[in-house]
Amino acid sequence: RNRSGNQLVSYQLPSQTGFLNVTENSPATVQNSGWEFTLTSSNFKSKNFTWNTSFNLTIPRNKLLSFPGIESSSYATKYVVGQSVNVIKGFKYLGVNDTTGIFQFLTAKGIPTYSPTNISGNNFNDIQVIGNLDPKFYGGMDNSFTYKDFQLEVFLEFKKQTGVNYLSQIYGGNVPGGEFNLPAALLSRWQKAGDKSEFERFTTDASSSAGNAARRYFTESSGVYSDASYIRFKTVSFSYKLRGRLLEKVKAETLRFYINAENLLTITNYKGNDPETQNFYGVPPLRTIAVGCQFIF
């Protein structure tokens, strides 16, 4: 458990002051805590075959313990005392109205609306805490198998988390209906009364009710967050070490053939192209496969 306070931070200022920020000591106290586990085991060992496993697991926790004067600071709408510093604040997403085809949201009083408000300092603020981006847990597992002169090593990494899905970028730029690339899933958008769809009707008018609901409210709602947990075959390595007279002829000490693969497979239900980078129009970690041989003389 680690607590830190009086941190030196860059405090945000209103742009009309002429400066975007000023360096100051923050009055906030932040606590990071958690558990870390490591386990290594020799699962099987014989004359020709061995199997070893190494496993690690981290369960992190983060909390803003105190922040005197937060209500009058520029962080009043960003942080919540008692919550993680990675708290998500936004509108509660209700889905697409099957009659109008427009995104709906819940007000702070639980009333459906197309246009929630985020006016601070009064009773009409519909911004609510909708989660946090802290991973619930993460870790990895490495298995190493050896049979005579063959060796196989498989490393898996995993993470349980919530992340920003691809809908954030789809609706965060141009309004669907404009001229730009969209995922094929949006072909199942709402088109007529009675349609049940997770995608709003298309529009080319950014200032329309549908346009405002998409650009101004949906991208600030729980609709753009979803499960981003995954298990990834991070590295897989297979090798064979050659022995015998051939090595003596070439006067080599070792001759090893190998094939290495990175990011070979990812198991996830994430809505997007990669749960780690969470960037729909970006490039995810590349799958690479390398084949080679190693000589040691």
Side-chain angles (χ1 to χ4, degrees):
R1 187 184 74 174
N2 175 273
R3 290 185 178 181
S4 86
N6 202 35
Q7 307 98 338
L8 195 63
V9 300
S10 182
Y11 183 77
Q12 299 175 3
L13 295 175
S15 58
Q16 59 265 33
T17 62
F19 302 90
L20 295 179
N21 52 65
V22 62
T23 302
E24 72 159 18
N25 287 93
S26 171
T29 300
V30 180
Q31 176 176 290
N32 287 286
S33 60
W35 294 89
E36 293 185 354
F37 302 93
T38 300
L39 174 67
T40 58
S41 64
S42 179
N43 306 315
F44 189 88
K45 187 174 183 179
S46 67
K47 180 180 179 181
N48 295 321
F49 179 76
T50 61
W51 173 24
N52 297 317
T53 298
S54 178
F55 177 82
N56 68 85
L57 173 68
T58 298
I59 306 174
R61 294 292 181 265
N62 176 275
K63 182 184 291 186
L64 178 61
L65 295 181
S66 66
F67 197 141
I70 187 174
E71 299 83 2
S72 58
S73 74
S74 62
Y75 300 110
T77 59
K78 185 175 182 180
Y79 299 124
V80 179
V81 175
Q83 301 266 8
S84 164
V85 295
N86 294 310
V87 68
I88 306 171
K89 300 180 74 174
F91 304 115
K92 287 191 175 181
Y93 175 59
L94 188 59
V96 176
N97 185 293
D98 58 6
T99 301
T100 63
I102 300 176
F103 287 136
Q104 290 188 115
F105 311 89
L106 283 177
T107 67
K109 296 181 179 180
I111 302 172
T113 180
Y114 298 129
S115 53
T117 61
N118 60 352
I119 304 173
S120 60
N122 58 37
N123 297 324
F124 299 100
N125 193 347
D126 295 320
I127 295 288
Q128 304 171 62
V129 173
I130 54 178
N132 70 69
L133 296 176
D134 290 336
K136 301 296 186 294
F137 59 82
Y138 61 90
M141 181 172 66
D142 182 80
N143 280 286
S144 179
F145 306 90
T146 301
Y147 176 71
K148 293 185 177 179
D149 294 322
F150 294 92
Q151 183 173 5
L152 173 65
E153 188 163 350
V154 181
F155 176 69
L156 305 178
E157 69 172 11
F158 57 86
K159 181 178 286 189
K160 175 67 174 177
Q161 64 179 352
T162 295
V164 178
N165 60 45
Y166 73 102
L167 296 178
S168 172
Q169 290 181 279
I170 295 300
Y171 291 101
N174 297 297
V175 177
E179 296 180 359
F180 67 107
N181 291 329
L182 292 171
L186 267 72
L187 291 173
S188 63
R189 67 192 181 279
W190 185 97
Q191 297 187 63
K192 63 181 186 301
D195 283 351
K196 304 291 185 181
S197 175
E198 64 174 311
F199 306 114
E200 189 183 59
R201 73 187 191 192
F202 276 7
T203 178
T204 56
D205 184 2
S207 62
S208 66
S209 298
N212 280 326
R215 291 188 306 108
R216 296 180 58 185
Y217 308 122
F218 181 75
T219 54
E220 299 296 328
S221 76
S222 56
V224 299
Y225 295 94
S226 58
D227 183 26
S229 306
Y230 66 92
I231 300 174
R232 171 168 285 157
F233 285 75
K234 190 65 178 178
T235 58
V236 178
S237 176
F238 179 75
S239 65
Y240 172 69
K241 186 179 293 185
L242 187 66
R243 302 179 187 273
R245 295 181 178 179
L246 179 61
L247 291 182
E248 297 176 359
K249 290 182 178 181
V250 297
K251 297 182 179 180
E253 180 181 335
T254 302
L255 174 56
R256 174 176 166 268
F257 298 95
Y258 64 87
I259 176 170
N260 296 332
E262 294 186 2
N263 304 310
L264 192 61
L265 175 68
T266 301
I267 302 172
T268 182
N269 290 320
Y270 175 66
K271 294 181 178 180
N273 61 6
D274 181 68
E276 183 179 1
T277 58
Q278 299 177 18
N279 188 338
F280 183 68
Y281 289 108
V283 179
L286 298 179
R287 178 187 299 151
T288 60
I289 299 176
V291 179
C293 58
Q294 180 186 37
F295 290 92
I296 298 178
F297 295 96

